[in-house]
Amino acid sequence: MEAHVGGFSSVNQQREEEILGVRKGPWTAEEDSLLTNYVAIHGEGRWNSVARSAGLKRTGKSCRLRWLNYLRPDVRRGDISLREQLLILELHSRWGNRWSKIAQHLPGRTDNEIKNYWRTRVQKQAKQMKCDVNSKQFRDAMRYVWMPRLIERIQATTDSYSAGQPTSYSNYMTNGSPSNHADISTSKVYHNNESGSDPNFMPEISGASSDSLDAQVSPGSDLTDCYNMHGGSSYTDNSEKRSGLCTDNVSELWGSSKPGMDIQGFEQHNQNGWLGGGDSLENMWNEENIWFLQQQLCDDEV
DNA sequence: AACACCCGCAACCGCGATTTT
DNA sequence: CAAAATCGCGGTTGCGGGTGT
């Protein structure tokens, strides 16, 4: 397979690559095998010499990228789970486009994967809402609609599986206390989700084909739908009313709070407790809760 | 069936930071 | 200490599969 070639940074580099016969484009199985075997024996690092010594006609940079994003044994591929989505949204609101930093908090996920997720899914949401992804409007929507909705879904799935268990995700979020870390981290509540028959279930940005917490991300846009209930004239689909968050409360919140939505106003509207017990949003995203999400993700991997 | 368009993702690039020589 | 080599990050590109017409 011949590599597709992008733009060259310079004529010199082009010449050098022609002379050296540097390959570009998709990796073949043979190349993967060469790189994997070499790293297994000699370890990571010194990527330029890896490329040479392993007999790969690739740049060291390309080898490193291939290893880190694809071949590394602990790399976790496939669907972004709800918890991971939630964590990405939260951490991005803190750190912006610090993809590698965000990736450090999602075991097995690469910065590239998270970046792609953000660009393809989150930015698309902003586009559909006709606002900038960095605008206050979108950030508010994310924080006060999208993320609570994710929490609700995680909570719903968790509760349906672990009914009666004292240490559910919702309890944690409500109490905001890490007092029972051991129990929480060992409660595998989302792998065997059997609650797929819930007629009220609405897909988040995850796929409609499955309501597992590891459901595949789909183009479905609840965030946009919630927004359109007030912000757009085209919203006519009453089916969205089934959604846990596209309730009158939320649409009131959305409509009344633009553009100056604030925590206080939000919480007043949230007195019915659909976030669970009227917990403060500020408190909800403390270090402990992020820690909790990470623990759940680690648990996922086991 | 054929074509056009859209979208997700792997891989590339430039560049600044860090490490090695 | 300076230059070279390497690493790591964030942004961008374009292939290929899926979907719509």
Side-chain angles (χ1 to χ4, degrees):
Chain A
M1 180 174 62
E2 199 51 48
H4 63 275
V5 178
F8 286 99
S9 57
S10 70
V11 175
N12 285 342
Q13 187 180 348
Q14 184 175 4
R15 285 202 184 117
E16 185 184 355
E17 286 171 351
E18 282 171 357
I19 292 165
L20 296 174
V22 175
R23 276 182 52 80
K24 290 186 179 181
W27 281 63
T28 64
E30 188 185 0
E31 288 176 311
D32 281 348
S33 178
L34 281 172
L35 182 56
T36 304
N37 290 337
Y38 188 90
V39 172
I41 295 168
H42 298 95
E44 299 179 37
R46 293 276 165 188
W47 293 108
N48 279 333
S49 56
V50 166
R52 283 192 299 268
S53 303
L56 287 160
K57 290 179 176 176
R58 296 274 182 175
T59 63
K61 214 170 175 176
S62 180
C63 291
R64 174 184 164 271
L65 206 64
R66 183 63 177 174
W67 174 256
L68 291 177
N69 287 345
Y70 194 87
L71 297 174
R72 205 161 36 109
D74 60 331
V75 70
R76 192 178 174 196
R77 309 178 59 73
D79 307 335
I80 306 278
S81 71
L82 295 179
R83 284 191 176 82
E84 286 172 318
Q85 290 177 37
L86 189 55
L87 203 47
I88 291 169
L89 295 182
E90 168 56 19
L91 294 179
H92 186 275
S93 73
R94 286 184 169 203
W95 298 325
N97 296 354
R98 303 285 305 277
W99 306 118
S100 63
K101 192 170 183 179
I102 294 171
Q104 287 170 8
H105 291 75
L106 286 107
R109 297 294 184 185
T110 67
D111 54 352
N112 208 34
E113 198 169 13
I114 293 167
K115 183 170 56 182
N116 280 334
Y117 165 77
W118 185 266
R119 293 190 63 81
T120 57
R121 306 321 209 287
V122 181
Q123 288 197 345
K124 192 172 76 179
Q125 295 282 342
K127 194 178 174 185
Q128 286 176 354
M129 287 171 62
K130 294 182 174 60
C131 61
D132 188 89
V133 75
N134 295 317
S135 66
K136 183 176 191 306
Q137 183 184 10
F138 185 73
R139 280 186 283 117
D140 282 343
M142 216 165 59
R143 196 164 185 83
Y144 302 135
V145 179
W146 195 349
M147 288 164 68
R149 187 114 190 258
L150 274 170
I151 293 168
E152 192 179 62
R153 277 192 63 193
I154 292 168
Q155 179 180 325
T157 317
T158 300
D159 287 350
S160 67
Y161 178 80
S162 60
Q165 292 190 13
T167 52
S168 69
Y169 182 87
S170 60
N171 284 341
Y172 184 88
M173 281 312 215
T174 300
N175 298 330
S177 164
S179 60
N180 208 349
H181 282 167
D183 287 346
I184 294 165
S185 62
T186 54
S187 60
K188 293 182 174 50
V189 293
Y190 35 87
H191 273 314
N192 291 323
N193 170 36
E194 307 282 28
S195 62
S197 58
D198 181 3
N200 293 327
F201 187 85
M202 284 296 294
E204 184 58 41
I205 50 177
S206 295
S209 59
S210 163
D211 69 345
S212 155
L213 288 187
D214 289 326
Q216 184 168 7
V217 175
S218 85
S221 170
D222 286 349
L223 187 60
T224 312
D225 291 337
C226 287
Y227 169 75
N228 284 342
M229 288 175 75
H230 277 261
S233 57
S234 62
Y235 183 86
T236 54
D237 185 1
N238 289 333
S239 67
E240 294 294 343
K241 295 271 186 184
R242 297 171 303 173
S243 153
L245 274 180
C246 288
T247 60
D248 289 340
N249 269 357
V250 175
S251 52
E252 279 175 27
L253 156 71
W254 185 243
S256 64
S257 301
K258 284 194 303 179
M261 184 186 286
D262 59 13
I263 299 283
Q264 288 79 11
F266 174 75
E267 287 181 336
Q268 282 174 6
H269 282 283
N270 188 35
Q271 281 175 348
N272 286 348
W274 50 268
L275 270 180
D279 192 22
S280 157
L281 278 168
E282 290 299 318
N283 292 338
M284 195 167 76
W285 292 110
N286 56 26
E287 294 296 332
E288 288 164 351
N289 286 334
I290 289 175
W291 177 91
F292 170 75
L293 270 176
Q294 286 184 254
Q295 291 302 306
Q296 294 285 313
L297 291 177
C298 291
D299 225 24
D300 259 339
E301 283 194 309
V302 177

